[in-house]
Amino acid sequence: MCRVVDLRQAVLAKNDSAAHTLRTELTARGTTVVNLLSSPGSGKTALLERELGLARERGVAVAALTADLATENDALRLARSGVPVKQVLTDGLCHLEAGMLGRHLDGWMPEDTRLLFVENVGNLVCPASYDLGESLRVVLASVTEGEDKPLKYPTAFGLAQLVVVTKTDIAQAVEFDEAAFRAHVQQVNPGVEVVLTSARRGEGLGILLDRALAVGAGGAVHAPVMAQQPPAHHHHHGEGPAHDHAAGHDHDHAAGHTHDHVPGHHHASGAGHGPGHGHGPGPGPENGPGHTGPGSATRAVHPHSGVVPTR
């Protein structure tokens, strides 16, 4: 049992270290990373496409990386905005990790990129427990998903620095109870901002972009209470985050590993950034962060030339 715990802590420390290094490097070059998490079908891609287009209109140097288990559909949609877009195919892995993200950015992201939006795999369990070196963590939920979503996924919503409600144009039709949803969000993450959006009607368009730019300019970032709770075990990386790696809950997924989730870490600026996390052995030659799974690939998507495979 001790060996399993030691292995998990080593894996967690590796991802923490990679996230800290990536955050430091990107901040030094003036790039703010925004990590977008949601369930499948939340409308994340539709909203992001609108935000990317708006950023381009404003002259903001922005790029997007989107991760999916299969298909390049989201990248092709985002590329319509005219900004640099890259597709990462995880081939079954249910989340991105800091080492993976760093390798996919190397040699691809333009040097002058001011904002990088990372559209994580559609999943509110695995991605919630991985710090990607982001400066802003955003959780999205559509009005069709139910007001109790924050209570069902307390780690994802509890570590969010911004909560975005999507598809508000159909809120009345699905009888969405906004007050109940807001109350549930505050129950797991007191003080976090909740904004309403509709990609179809343009409601709330630009709020996500404005919040990201404000963070990049050194503005205050919400510090989730969950990230500040006294942890049972910490990993410190200089000025980087301290993580709680106590055991939480386990789940199985397509990549074949098991995760423990009781996150909580602090960024040097006081912002709650990303979570502590852990997973047991999985298949493949590497079990630590940064593995891309069997046969995984990336695609650099160029708005006017289609999808070009890159390895």
Side-chain angles (χ1 to χ4, degrees):
M1 182 65 179
C2 290
R3 183 175 177 79
V4 172
V5 172
D6 289 343
L7 175 60
R8 287 175 177 171
Q9 290 180 350
V11 170
L12 304 182
K14 183 178 178 182
N15 187 81
D16 295 348
S17 179
H20 170 65
T21 298
L22 185 60
R23 182 182 294 113
T24 301
E25 291 175 351
L26 292 177
T27 299
R29 63 186 275 182
T31 301
T32 299
V33 177
V34 181
N35 186 7
L36 304 176
L37 296 82
S38 78
S39 300
S42 68
K44 179 167 74 264
T45 305
L47 179 62
L48 182 54
E49 182 183 355
R50 295 290 303 272
E51 295 284 344
L52 293 176
L54 181 60
R56 189 164 182 257
E57 290 174 10
R58 293 184 182 180
V60 178
V62 63
L65 181 146
T66 181
D68 281 300
L69 276 68
T71 82
E72 297 158 351
N73 296 346
D74 287 352
L76 291 172
R77 289 178 59 188
L78 295 179
R80 296 185 304 200
S81 65
V83 309
V85 175
K86 187 173 189 178
Q87 177 78 59
V88 175
L89 300 180
T90 65
D91 288 340
L93 191 61
C94 65
H95 61 276
L96 287 173
E97 298 173 4
M100 295 167 59
L101 178 61
R103 288 198 300 276
H104 292 314
L105 297 182
D106 188 28
W108 165 73
M109 190 174 67
E111 285 294 327
D112 65 344
T113 301
R114 189 173 172 189
L115 294 178
L116 171 66
F117 287 95
V118 178
E119 185 180 14
N120 220 315
V121 179
N123 183 340
L124 282 177
V125 182
C126 305
S129 293
Y130 283 84
D131 179 9
L132 297 182
E134 69 266 19
S135 295
L136 180 64
R137 174 173 288 217
V138 182
V139 174
L140 301 90
S142 73
V143 298
T144 62
E145 296 179 60
E147 296 81 3
D148 61 348
K149 205 64 177 276
L151 303 182
K152 290 184 176 181
Y153 299 91
T155 299
F157 284 89
L159 287 170
Q161 293 164 310
L162 177 66
V163 175
V164 175
V165 179
T166 61
K167 304 184 182 181
T168 57
D169 53 293
I170 59 172
Q172 185 174 359
V174 299
E175 300 182 345
F176 176 67
D177 189 334
E178 180 186 337
F181 179 84
R182 288 181 178 274
H184 292 154
V185 169
Q186 295 305 313
Q187 185 174 332
V188 299
N189 193 347
V192 70
E193 183 182 13
V194 178
V195 300
L196 306 180
T197 67
S198 168
R200 177 177 295 176
R201 293 183 179 174
E203 179 184 1
L205 183 63
I207 293 179
L208 179 58
L209 177 60
D210 290 341
R211 298 296 183 271
L213 289 172
V215 171
V221 184
H222 172 67
V225 173
M226 182 180 290
Q228 303 175 56
Q229 294 172 347
H233 183 80
H234 290 288
H235 288 290
H236 296 283
H237 306 290
E239 294 299 315
H243 298 256
D244 175 7
H245 297 315
H249 59 270
D250 296 332
H251 66 89
D252 296 324
H253 58 81
H257 11 304
T258 303
H259 295 258
D260 291 328
H261 304 294
V262 178
H265 76 232
H266 309 277
H267 191 263
S269 65
H273 244 306
H277 44 268
H279 64 77
E286 256 186 46
N287 188 42
H291 63 285
T292 55
S296 63
T298 64
R299 302 290 191 274
V301 179
H302 305 279
H304 305 297
S305 60
V307 180
V308 180
T310 59
R311 296 280 182 178

